[in-house]
């Protein structure tokens, strides 16, 4: 199935919601992620951003609503099935295997695309050898995309914080996704590393990927996102361009509260994050 054209939805959610006991973590969210663009999901702490990602990626099953990806209903698919359809995700904490090589980490990400099972691995069957070769090639392509091909043989734990973030992104890219979900990709990174990461994300989108990210660093969001989706108490309160969202009174009230003075949305007067 070909990718949607730019400005058409890569992913759509309709009346999406999930309840944990008495808590409605996400409620009646209807939104879309345009193909070939960067969509940022923002909101105060506890707004439901990571839960929204968990629903899209199949980690949680919604209690209401629908999810459509590239025209297909994926609402009830499990995580590995969602990955197989072309959605990959990174997490707030860098989930890499630091003792393994950079290449081995990326190969783990590609394994979701292979068919060999445990018995194949134990017996070193032809299928296993073929799939291992495919995984190695797919992993190297992913490392090329994130600028780590030259570091393939190094232990992942020996890389800088930014380098380890790139390994995590390579693991996701190795599954050959159409949509990449980045959960707080700049967490723990200094300003120089953040700028470098922004450049990488732009390059990936220029290469045909669609990206959605949850991020608290508003300078990154405002400088990177084509669209912003704002959640508050699990509900969508706005969606639009950074300029549109930054002027929205409901967003200013929800996101800043009594800290609305100090310039750009989400920042204090000294340029720091108002709600990190």
């Amino acid at each position: 199935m070909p990718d949607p054209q730019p400005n058409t939805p890569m992913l759509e959610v309709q009346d999406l919601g999930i309840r944990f006991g008495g808590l409605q973590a996400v409620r009646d969210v209807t939104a879309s992620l345009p193909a070939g663009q960067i969509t940022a999901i923002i909101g105060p702490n506890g707004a439901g951003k990571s839960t929204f990602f968990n629903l899209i990626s199949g980690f949680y099953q919604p209690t209401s609503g629908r999810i459509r990806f590239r025209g297909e209903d994926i609402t009830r698919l499990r995580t590995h099935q969602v990955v197989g359809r072309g959605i990959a995700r990174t997490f707030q904490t860098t989930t890499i295997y630091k003792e393994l090589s950079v290449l081995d980490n990326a190969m783990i990400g590609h394994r979701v695309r292979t068919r060999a099972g445990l018995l194949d691995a134990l017996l070193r069957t032809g299928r296993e050898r073929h799939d291992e070769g495919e995984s190695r090639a797919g992993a190297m392509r992913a490392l090329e995309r994130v600028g780590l091909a030259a570091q393939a043989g190094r232990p992942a734990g020996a890389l800088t914080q930014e380098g380890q973030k790139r390994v995590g992104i390579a693991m996701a890219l190795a599954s050959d996704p159409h949509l990449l979900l980045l959960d707080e990709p700049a967490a723990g990174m200094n300003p120089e590393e953040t700028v470098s990461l922004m450049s990488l994300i732009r390059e990936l989108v220029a290469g045909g990927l669609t990206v959605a990210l949850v991020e608290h660093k508003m300078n990154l969001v405002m400088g990177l996102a084509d669209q912003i989706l704002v959640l508050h108490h699990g509900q969508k309160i706005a969606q639009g361009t950074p300029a549109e969202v930054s002027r929205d009174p409901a967003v200013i009230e929800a996101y800043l509260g009594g800290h609305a003075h100090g310039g750009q949305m989400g920042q204090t007067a000294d340029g720091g994050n108002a709600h990190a």
Side-chain angles (χ1 to χ4, degrees):
M1 181 185 299
D3 282 343
Q5 294 299 308
N7 299 317
T8 61
M10 171 68 71
L11 181 137
E12 300 169 275
V13 298
Q14 180 73 38
D15 299 324
L16 191 64
I18 187 170
R19 179 182 294 275
F20 299 104
L23 173 65
Q24 187 80 39
V26 171
R27 181 196 302 269
D28 300 328
V29 174
T30 296
S32 62
L33 305 184
Q37 293 191 10
I38 301 168
T39 300
I41 293 96
I42 69 169
N45 290 331
K49 303 181 296 294
S50 291
T51 302
F52 182 74
F53 261 21
N54 284 334
L55 289 167
I56 293 172
S57 54
F59 282 88
Y60 293 160
Q61 292 289 303
T63 51
S64 61
R66 289 290 177 193
I67 306 169
R68 293 184 65 82
F69 176 62
R70 302 177 74 215
E72 178 187 1
D73 190 324
I74 64 167
T75 309
R76 298 300 166 193
L77 297 187
R78 298 191 178 278
T79 305
H80 71 279
Q81 295 172 312
V82 172
V83 173
R85 294 302 193 278
I87 299 178
R89 179 185 175 180
T90 66
F91 292 84
Q92 291 179 22
T93 54
T94 308
T95 53
I96 66 172
Y97 299 90
K98 296 186 177 183
E99 70 281 3
L100 296 181
S101 72
V102 169
L103 176 60
D104 284 340
N105 272 274
M107 286 179 68
I108 291 169
H110 188 272
R111 277 293 183 170
V112 298
R113 289 290 186 186
T114 61
R115 295 175 294 125
L118 177 60
L119 187 60
D120 293 298
L122 292 174
L123 298 179
R124 292 294 295 167
T125 63
R127 174 185 287 182
E128 167 63 20
R129 292 193 298 273
H130 174 268
D131 283 358
E132 183 175 351
E134 288 286 310
S135 290
R136 185 175 298 274
M140 283 305 299
R141 287 194 297 270
L143 293 177
E144 290 278 1
R145 293 176 76 181
V146 302
L148 289 180
Q151 311 290 327
R154 294 189 66 193
L159 271 58
T160 63
Q161 176 73 7
E162 182 197 349
Q164 292 182 33
K165 292 278 188 178
R166 287 177 179 250
V167 172
I169 293 173
M171 291 176 71
L173 292 176
S175 68
D176 197 23
H178 299 280
L179 172 62
L180 178 62
L181 307 178
L182 302 174
D183 198 347
E184 296 196 38
M189 295 172 62
N190 63 39
E192 183 178 348
E193 292 172 329
T194 299
V195 169
S196 178
L197 183 73
M198 290 172 67
S199 178
L200 171 62
I201 294 171
R202 288 194 189 97
E203 290 173 9
L204 294 175
V205 172
L209 202 61
T210 300
V211 170
L213 58 91
V214 167
E215 184 54 65
H216 284 291
K217 293 184 177 180
M218 295 310 300
N219 57 337
L220 183 152
V221 169
M222 291 298 176
L224 188 63
D226 300 297
Q227 290 278 317
I228 298 177
L229 169 63
V230 188
L231 300 179
H232 187 47
H233 296 311
Q235 294 181 291
K236 170 185 166 181
I237 61 170
Q239 183 170 11
T241 66
E244 291 168 344
V245 166
S246 66
R247 294 193 300 264
D248 190 302
V251 174
I252 295 170
E253 175 61 28
Y255 210 85
L256 297 180
H259 304 283
H261 304 289
Q264 193 177 62
M265 184 185 68
Q267 295 186 325
T268 59
D270 63 0
N273 292 326
H275 295 276

